[in-house]
Amino acid sequence: MAAYWKEHSKQGSVEEMMLDNTAEELSKEELPEILSYLPEYAGKDVIELGAGIGRFTTEIAKKAKSVAAVDFMEEFINKNKKTNQNFNNIEYVVADVTKLDRPKESADLIFSNWLLMYLNDNEVQEFFRKQLSWLRPGGYLFIRESCRHQSGNKDRGANPTEYRDPELYEAFYSSTTMPCDENNFYGFDLVVSKSVDTYIKRKNNSNQVIWLIEKVKRDNSQNHGFKSFQEFLDNQQYSARGILLYEKIFGRTYVSTGGPETTEEFVELLNLQRGQQVLDVGGGIGGSAFYMAKKFGVKVVSIDLSSNMTQIGLQRAEEVGCGPDQVVFEIADATKRDYPAQSFDVIYSRDTILHIPDKLALFKKFYKFLRPGGKVLISDYCCSPDEHSEKFKTYVKQRGYNLLSPAQYGKVLEAAGFVNVRAEDRSAQFAKVLKSEIAKTESIKDEFIKEFDEDGYRYIVDGWKEKLGRVEIGDQRWGLFYAEKS
């Protein structure tokens, strides 16, 4: 790292390059966007790594209780001091981040902008271990990096920059843990990961990526033996292979019941208008978002906790010609992701909220995100209000589902403040769709096995028949829910 910075100092910092005349407009648009992804840090203790000449230090110091501005280059720190001399809550630290040490549980937020690309893999792994130690429980780590493609001088000696795939950073942080007590450990949970919109709009560059991750406490039995729920999803139900199997049945770009047919039927209930903002929660690989954006001219933010879903969704967006001005993909936890109040006109979700235990808290967030008169439309797996079979209980536990009856679901929406709530039991429609999808799969058996294999074919046909059986005996239900914000 030191060798890089000695060379880098001759050229000026990344921030100085950002702030030359040709990049000034980009910087002005990018800075508030980056700050918008941060959690609330007013009155909090913040560490800013790679602080440079103070482009972000100034803004963070306006609200934070304290800021430790860290940079390897004394020249940059001196410029930072000069720029921010009127603040008395900034500690200036000249240090190599790979050798830096801070007190345990001393920070609420750690902010890192364009730093890890200058570290090797071992240094990055150690970086995440340190941040987990420095953060207080419930604290956040924000990272922004240039990903995927190297640019400029490709001489590794002069420019030892690592343009990693985003998935590698996800592997680094998700595998970082530290003991808490006999039954618990600390790890990182993803709040949101996405490409920086400014770079997409200005440069058609989706390789500037941010992550916001939270330090959380977990017990050793959580998430079916996986370190996080995201890891459980990506390695179990929503593996890349599993997603493609679902897509084969539901239709290209779809991974929800009924594919384009139910999407068109349900979206019709929303009376979408050109220019409206839609949040698609559990947007999968983009089918509903693409349909709404193309047919009605709305802007859709599609969030999904499965990185596999999102990566395939980005590929499908290119395939169908749906750009980031129409659909924006985020890898995000709907229970943790926050947006400014009244950001959306519609919140849409297909067969996703079954994964979330505290539905009331989620629906209260939806209420906050919606503008007055905004609408919610949800389809979701539900259950009978009666006693369930042991086989159904085992299925629900294995999947990690949290199910309510359709009537209970509607009551939770009302408790969150929504009006004009309609809770419909669509189980008969669900059974009809399942039968149609089974027949479709059996009719293309040879094609299906050629594209996947016999196991994949049996996974779909047998799984769908089991699902149909659960619906026909009444254990499993399917609900459609509509509500409005007054």
Side-chain angles (χ1 to χ4, degrees), residues 78-145:
N78 288 338
K79 289 181 180 180
N80 196 325
K81 283 182 182 179
K82 185 175 180 180
T83 300
N84 295 303
Q85 58 186 315
N86 294 329
F87 290 99
N88 59 14
N89 62 339
I90 303 175
E91 172 194 1
Y92 298 98
V93 181
V94 178
D96 180 339
V97 69
T98 64
K99 298 178 174 60
L100 179 68
D101 199 14
R102 302 290 294 184
K104 184 178 179 181
E105 297 188 1
S106 61
D108 301 293
L109 170 64
I110 300 174
F111 179 90
S112 171
N113 186 60
W114 280 327
L115 174 65
L116 302 188
M117 55 202 263
Y118 304 127
L119 307 184
N120 64 41
D121 287 353
N122 289 335
E123 289 170 334
V124 172
Q125 289 175 299
E126 180 60 24
F127 169 89
F128 281 112
R129 283 192 287 270
K130 284 185 175 182
Q131 310 318 297
L132 193 61
S133 173
W134 299 347
L135 282 169
R136 297 179 178 122
Y140 295 89
L141 172 60
F142 175 88
I143 304 162
R144 182 271 191 89
E145 293 297 330

Side-chain angles (χ1 to χ4, degrees), residues 185-470:
F185 64 93
Y186 286 118
F188 285 119
D189 265 3
L190 177 70
V191 177
V192 61
S193 173
K194 67 186 296 291
S195 297
V196 177
D197 291 340
T198 302
Y199 274 74
I200 295 174
K201 288 187 288 187
R202 292 273 186 169
K203 295 190 170 188
N204 194 30
N205 177 356
S206 62
N207 297 323
Q208 295 294 315
V209 181
I210 67 98
W211 292 263
L212 181 64
I213 56 180
E214 181 184 10
K215 178 178 178 176
V216 296
K217 183 178 180 180
R218 304 194 191 96
D219 71 57
N220 293 322
S221 63
Q222 281 183 316
N223 301 325
H224 308 266
F226 293 93
K227 290 189 174 71
S228 69
F229 186 59
Q230 181 188 21
E231 185 181 344
F232 167 66
L233 290 177
D234 281 338
N235 285 276
Q236 294 291 100
Q237 186 174 3
Y238 302 132
S239 66
R241 171 182 163 83
I243 292 166
L244 296 177
L245 287 170
Y246 290 150
E247 184 187 35
K248 184 70 175 177
I249 294 311
F250 294 130
R252 194 70 170 175
T253 77
Y254 288 92
V255 286
S256 59
T257 298
E261 290 79 13
T262 52
T263 296
E264 292 174 18
E265 176 191 349
F266 296 166
V267 169
E268 189 68 26
L269 302 173
L270 293 169
N271 190 28
L272 293 175
Q273 303 296 312
R274 180 170 294 277
Q276 286 187 320
Q277 304 286 315
V278 178
L279 178 64
D280 188 354
V281 177
I285 60 175
S288 294
F290 302 148
Y291 173 73
M292 289 187 279
K294 284 178 164 289
K295 177 76 181 282
F296 299 98
V298 298
K299 171 73 176 286
V300 184
V301 177
S302 176
I303 68 173
D304 203 293
L305 185 56
S306 167
S307 59
N308 291 333
M309 287 281 196
T310 303
Q311 293 305 318
I312 294 172
L314 288 167
Q315 295 169 16
R316 298 294 182 266
E318 186 173 350
E319 176 184 308
V320 303
C322 214
D325 57 325
Q326 297 170 290
V327 176
V328 172
F329 284 92
E330 296 184 4
I331 305 170
D333 184 337
T335 67
K336 298 175 184 289
R337 181 70 168 108
D338 202 14
Y339 299 95
Q342 301 185 19
S343 294
F344 299 98
D345 301 287
V346 168
I347 296 177
Y348 177 91
S349 181
R350 296 294 309 277
D351 305 342
T352 294
I353 297 171
L354 69 168
H355 293 291
I356 296 172
D358 193 348
K359 293 174 174 53
L360 179 59
L362 180 68
F363 294 159
K364 286 180 177 179
K365 287 168 73 79
F366 288 0
Y367 192 89
K368 169 193 164 185
F369 299 159
L370 283 170
R371 299 181 177 117
K375 302 170 184 177
V376 169
L377 187 74
I378 300 166
S379 74
D380 212 1
Y381 282 19
C382 296
C383 63
S384 161
D386 306 317
E387 181 64 25
H388 304 137
S389 67
E390 289 303 316
K391 188 174 182 180
F392 184 68
K393 291 177 183 177
T394 300
Y395 160 76
V396 170
K397 182 177 180 181
Q398 183 267 328
R399 291 288 182 145
Y401 291 164
N402 290 270
L403 306 182
L404 301 175
S405 72
Q408 289 171 323
Y409 212 111
K411 293 296 183 185
V412 178
L413 283 165
E414 289 176 348
F418 287 101
V419 298
N420 299 326
V421 174
R422 298 202 302 264
E424 301 179 9
D425 188 331
R426 292 289 189 106
S427 301
Q429 181 182 13
F430 191 37
K432 183 178 179 180
V433 171
L434 288 170
K435 290 175 183 176
S436 173
E437 290 168 347
I438 292 168
K440 172 187 173 183
T441 307
E442 290 178 333
S443 72
I444 58 169
K445 178 178 179 180
D446 292 343
E447 175 189 330
F448 201 108
I449 292 173
K450 183 178 180 181
E451 185 172 342
F452 296 98
D453 52 30
E454 179 76 28
D455 287 344
Y457 173 78
R458 293 258 58 94
Y459 173 80
I460 292 296
V461 172
D462 294 347
W464 259 234
K465 287 181 177 179
E466 289 175 6
K467 193 181 302 183
L468 179 61
R470 292 191 294 268

